[in-house]
């Protein structure tokens, strides 16, 4: 198999082959440590003339892959434009290790700002002692869900609702503090958009305490 004219190493999926060659390709819903979800469609490529999602398409039997043809670049740009409708501006805070991926994808595809009316979601959960969740930055890629459920086998995060009502939510509680979350950090590490991000620790002595939003009380 060749990718953009370069001989590719033997790989399980087209995405694996593309990344092994050092070619950057957005894959916002694919965690490197977990099986593909194939939900975001930001990794579209041409495989022997067909447009496919690289993350879940086996490399076996494919002869030629194009990541940079005019057709797939245009399609990825439209997918990213639609994705940009799901969230607000880039938060002015530090995110997790993967949090810059979505902004890099926008820049690479010539998108500076959302071009569709933004979907308004204003949920904010800062009840965990170690991280916070800002719903307006979430694109429902489900990477946090798969990290929690399949990597850590905890199940503290899920997606509730469907269509425009879908949202990431603590699996068994109204807030992360009320859920079975262990604050392992896998969801924060997986998030590509800053929606889940570490809390700034201004006072290390208070690292084990949290403030419950809405009632003004602190628990330790």
């Amino acid at each position: 198999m060749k990718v953009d004219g370069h001989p590719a190493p033997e790989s399980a999926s087209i995405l694996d082959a593309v990344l092994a060659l050092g070619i950057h390709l957005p894959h916002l819903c694919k965690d490197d440590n977990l099986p593909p979800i194939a939900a975001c469609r930001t990794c579209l490529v041409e495989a022997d003339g067909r447009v496919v999602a690289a993350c879940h398409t086996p490399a076996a039997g494919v002869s030629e892959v194009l990541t940079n043809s005019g057709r797939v670049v245009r399609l990825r740009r439209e997918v990213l434009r639609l994705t940009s409708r799901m969230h607000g501006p880039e938060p002015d805070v530090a995110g997790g290790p993967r949090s810059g991926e979505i902004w890099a994808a926008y820049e690479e595809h010539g998108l500076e700002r959302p071009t569709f009316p933004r979907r308004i979601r204003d949920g904010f959960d800062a009840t965990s002692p170690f991280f916070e969740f800002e719903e307006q930055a979430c694109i429902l890629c489900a990477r946090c869900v798969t990290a929690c459920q399949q990597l850590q086998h905890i199940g503290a995060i899920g997606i509730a609702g469907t269509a425009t009502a879908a949202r990431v939510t603590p699996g068994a509680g109204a807030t992360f503090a009320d859920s079975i979350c262990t604050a392992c950090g896998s969801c924060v590490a997986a998030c590509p958009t800053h929606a889940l991000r570490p809390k700034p620790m201004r006072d290390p002595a208070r690292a084990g305490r949290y403030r419950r939003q809405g009632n003004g009380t602190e628990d330790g």
Side-chain angles (χ1 to χ4, degrees):
M1 182 177 76
K2 290 187 176 182
V3 177
D4 296 338
H6 304 288
E10 185 173 344
S11 304
S13 72
I14 290 177
L15 180 62
D16 292 336
V18 169
L19 298 180
L21 287 171
I23 298 172
H24 182 261
L25 184 67
H27 48 286
L28 297 179
C29 71
K30 174 65 174 74
D31 190 286
D32 295 339
N33 300 311
L34 293 167
I37 305 171
C40 71
R41 289 301 194 259
T42 57
C43 66
L44 293 177
V45 297
E46 282 193 49
D48 293 337
R50 297 181 301 116
V51 175
V52 299
C55 66
H56 79 131
T57 302
V62 177
S63 300
E64 183 179 20
V65 172
L66 297 176
T67 70
N68 57 5
S69 71
R71 178 163 68 148
V72 292
V73 171
R74 184 172 62 253
L75 288 171
R76 287 202 304 266
R77 184 182 295 118
E78 290 305 305
V79 169
L80 287 165
R81 285 179 68 205
L82 289 168
T83 301
S84 73
R85 182 184 180 274
M86 300 179 69
H87 63 84
E90 182 175 7
D92 188 23
V93 291
R98 310 292 295 275
S99 62
E101 287 183 28
I102 193 168
W103 314 105
Y106 290 157
E107 182 177 355
E108 186 178 80
H109 288 77
L111 298 174
E112 296 182 1
R113 59 184 60 86
T115 53
F116 293 99
R118 186 170 66 85
R119 191 171 122 191
I120 304 299
R121 294 173 298 165
D122 57 2
F124 188 82
D125 188 342
T127 60
S128 167
F130 301 112
F131 67 87
E132 57 194 21
F133 173 59
E134 184 176 3
E135 191 176 14
Q136 75 158 350
C138 177
I139 61 170
L140 297 174
C141 67
R143 257 164 50 170
C144 60
V145 177
T146 54
C148 187
Q149 294 184 1
Q150 297 184 37
L151 187 63
Q152 297 297 333
H153 304 288
I154 296 172
I157 308 177
I159 294 181
T162 59
T164 58
R167 58 189 294 268
V168 167
T169 181
T175 67
F176 281 103
D178 296 326
S179 75
I180 58 174
C181 174
T182 63
C184 69
S186 290
C187 60
V188 175
C191 180
T193 69
H194 292 84
L196 285 156
R197 59 197 182 228
K199 273 186 172 178
M201 285 296 177
R202 297 183 177 87
D203 182 358
R206 298 183 60 188
R209 307 178 69 186
Y210 62 84
R211 179 175 296 277
R212 290 186 180 275
Q213 295 290 305
N215 62 13
T217 62
E218 286 189 349
D219 299 304

